[in-house]
Amino acid sequence: MEHKDQNNDPDATPKDVKIFDINADDRTTDQTTEGPQLDVHISREFIQQLQKILSDEDTDALFVLLEDFHAADVADILEVLASKERLKLIELLGSRLDPEVLIEIEGEAQDDLYENIPNEQIADAVNELETDDAVYVLEELDDQDREEVLKSLAVDDRVAIEESLSFPEDSAGRLMQRDLVALPEFWTVGQTIDYLRSDDADVPDDFYDIFVVDPGHKPVGSVPLSRVMRTGRDKAIGSIMDPELYLVDVKADQEEVAYQFTKYHLISAAVIDESRRLVGVITVDDVVDVIEEEAEEDILALAGVGGDTALNENIREITKSRFTWLLANLGTAILASAVIGFFDATIEQMVALAVLMPIVASMGGNAGTQTMTVAVRALATKELGTTNALRNISREVIVAGFNGVILALISGVIAWLWFDSIMLGGVFAAAMIVNMLAAGLFGILVPLAMQRSGIDPAIASSVFVTTITDVVGFFAFLGLAALFLLQGGL
């Protein structure tokens, strides 16, 4: 069930395939490309067809149906199916399962796949994958299965993978590929081309740069493949190399690596060890996965959802992850309610306060979330730091102040007309300004404090910002109302 590249076969002709699009009733084929062009989500019609094949255990029909599918599409299918049907599909595919599926699949479907294919098959798949992908597969296995798979590998491959696994999780060492092209400066372009074309050359299937190394195997420059192809054969590699290299420490965090790739528009980067020797390479396709993963984690964390709780994750893990933050929110909600409890006598004297106070807290919470989201993103992209923190804090407070005044005027007039009390409208407007200012201030201060304390700002900021705006909003509104009530103003 290999993905076939018909572009390499001049005699190949496009096959007639059905295109299933969940967003449309019409099935259309993209005439500019060959093979199936599937949406990420498979249509109901397609799944029903597959379910019937699985029920009949018709392996011939199954292989015909999935013959030209990319591994990512097969992974999507496994994730969509119910567990019983998923296990049947895994059984029928057997050894013809594309090894790439092992790195594309996620969540509960990944658990089912890894647990229901033999370790010998996983070892065969690892042999076909690049080092970074092989490491990804092995780190998902339990200790016993990982050891069994490693014993099945050739000595060189096992040593390379074990060394990669020894690096910290989410580090450059886990992310890098071991296969690369490293040549001395004195080689000519002709020697380089002949070497790359020779059958004995141990080079990766896909690469972008040739790294130039000194006798100690320390990188001193790089040459893009395009430059090699445009240069005469007699030129020395050292004379056409770029001496400025972006080097990545093998223990660097993958988020820092992704930031460097984004900032400097890198295609690939050399990875060095403590001795500054070249040990691997990270390419842009690996970094794209990291960027997507980090962005997903931040989005989920801002909502109080753990980063490892995919849609098809098992129920126990999802429940456990969400309960932790829901429990924390329960505590903060009780704290906000305690503030209201201090002013129960004030609320009893005027029911309008109970009607209006959720508005003050809600507007402050929304404003705080806006500021917090921008701050968390700026911290992640390193646009916000200690050098410009004060300037950005001032700006956010000013913006919050302007918005607070405008919203206070609007809401104050509404409260005045609604309850026929200009004093109540004034109290409501003043509380709105106070809470909006607090939202702007703490919306940026909380993420900064979290990062300074070594805590991921995306994880904890939302709980604290919401609590602060609720407490300040209730206290400002009810406190001002109590003050005027005691003076008989209302």
Side-chain angles (χ1 to χ4, degrees), residues 5 19 22 32 80 110 154 165 174 213 223 232 236 266 273 325 371 379 387 419 423 435 439 450 477 488:
D5 184 2
I19 305 303
I22 196 170
T32 62
V80 168
Q110 183 188 68
L165 287 170
R174 294 282 186 102
V213 294
V223 185
L266 303 180
D273 60 13
W325 288 105
T371 304
L379 287 169
T387 56
F419 296 100
M423 193 64 69
N435 205 23
M450 293 293 102
F477 183 48

Side-chain angles (χ1 to χ4, degrees), residues 42-98:
I42 305 304
S43 72
R44 181 177 300 176
E45 180 181 344
F46 177 87
I47 293 299
Q48 288 175 343
Q49 180 183 2
L50 177 61
Q51 288 170 332
K52 185 177 187 308
I53 291 174
L54 295 177
S55 177
D56 297 339
E57 298 188 2
D58 189 344
T59 54
D60 292 336
L62 177 64
F63 293 138
V64 169
L65 183 66
L66 302 182
E67 181 180 9
D68 294 305
F69 278 36
H70 190 277
D73 295 320
V74 177
D76 287 337
I77 294 169
L78 287 166
E79 291 171 7
V80 168
L81 292 174
S83 183
K84 183 178 179 180
E85 295 165 339
R86 183 187 303 135
L87 296 179
K88 175 58 69 174
L89 177 56
I90 293 170
E91 177 187 345
L92 294 180
L93 288 175
S95 61
R96 295 179 68 173
L97 180 75
D98 191 329

Side-chain angles (χ1 to χ4, degrees), residues 107 293 296-297 300 305-310 313 317-318 321:
E293 178 185 328
E296 179 182 335
E297 285 182 3
L300 292 173
V305 181
D308 295 327
T309 52
E313 193 67 74
E317 291 299 324
I318 295 176
S321 175

Side-chain angles (χ1 to χ4, degrees), residues 25-192:
D25 292 328
D26 297 332
R27 275 71 179 175
T28 58
T29 302
D30 184 353
Q31 300 297 329
T32 62
T33 59
E34 298 174 356
Q37 304 296 311
L38 292 178
D39 198 1
V40 174
H41 301 95
I42 305 304
S43 72
R44 181 177 300 176
E45 180 181 344
F46 177 87
I47 293 299
Q48 288 175 343
Q49 180 183 2
L50 177 61
Q51 288 170 332
K52 185 177 187 308
I53 291 174
L54 295 177
S55 177
D56 297 339
E57 298 188 2
D58 189 344
T59 54
D60 292 336
L62 177 64
F63 293 138
V64 169
L65 183 66
L66 302 182
E67 181 180 9
D68 294 305
F69 278 36
H70 190 277
D73 295 320
V74 177
D76 287 337
I77 294 169
L78 287 166
E79 291 171 7
V80 168
L81 292 174
S83 183
K84 183 178 179 180
E85 295 165 339
R86 183 187 303 135
L87 296 179
K88 175 58 69 174
L89 177 56
I90 293 170
E91 177 187 345
L92 294 180
L93 288 175
S95 61
R96 295 179 68 173
L97 180 75
D98 191 329
E100 295 284 338
V101 175
L102 293 173
I103 62 176
E104 297 289 348
I105 199 164
E106 297 178 343
E108 190 176 19
Q110 183 188 68
D111 296 337
D112 283 345
L113 178 61
Y114 283 27
E115 291 172 4
N116 287 278
I117 59 175
N119 287 334
E120 294 81 3
Q121 186 175 346
I122 295 179
D124 291 339
V126 166
N127 275 321
E128 295 186 34
L129 296 173
E130 295 179 341
T131 310
D132 57 328
D133 293 331
V135 169
Y136 172 81
V137 172
L138 287 168
E139 66 185 1
E140 297 297 325
L141 300 175
D142 59 41
D143 294 340
Q144 182 177 349
D145 289 335
R146 185 186 304 122
E147 191 63 31
E148 187 174 333
V149 170
L150 285 170
K151 287 180 180 178
S152 303
L153 303 179
V155 175
D156 291 345
D157 292 336
R158 183 171 70 249
V159 170
I161 291 174
E162 285 179 337
E163 186 174 354
S164 295
L165 287 170
S166 69
F167 295 118
E169 190 174 355
D170 296 333
S171 67
R174 294 282 186 102
L175 189 64
M176 70 181 183
Q177 300 174 25
R178 292 278 182 170
D179 298 329
L180 52 83
V181 179
L183 301 174
E185 294 182 66
F186 58 82
W187 271 38
T188 64
V189 170
Q191 284 179 288
T192 300

Side-chain angles (χ1 to χ4, degrees), residues 404 429-439 472-473 476 480:
M432 183 71 73
I433 294 174
V434 171
N435 205 23
M436 291 293 288
L437 288 171
V472 171
L480 289 171

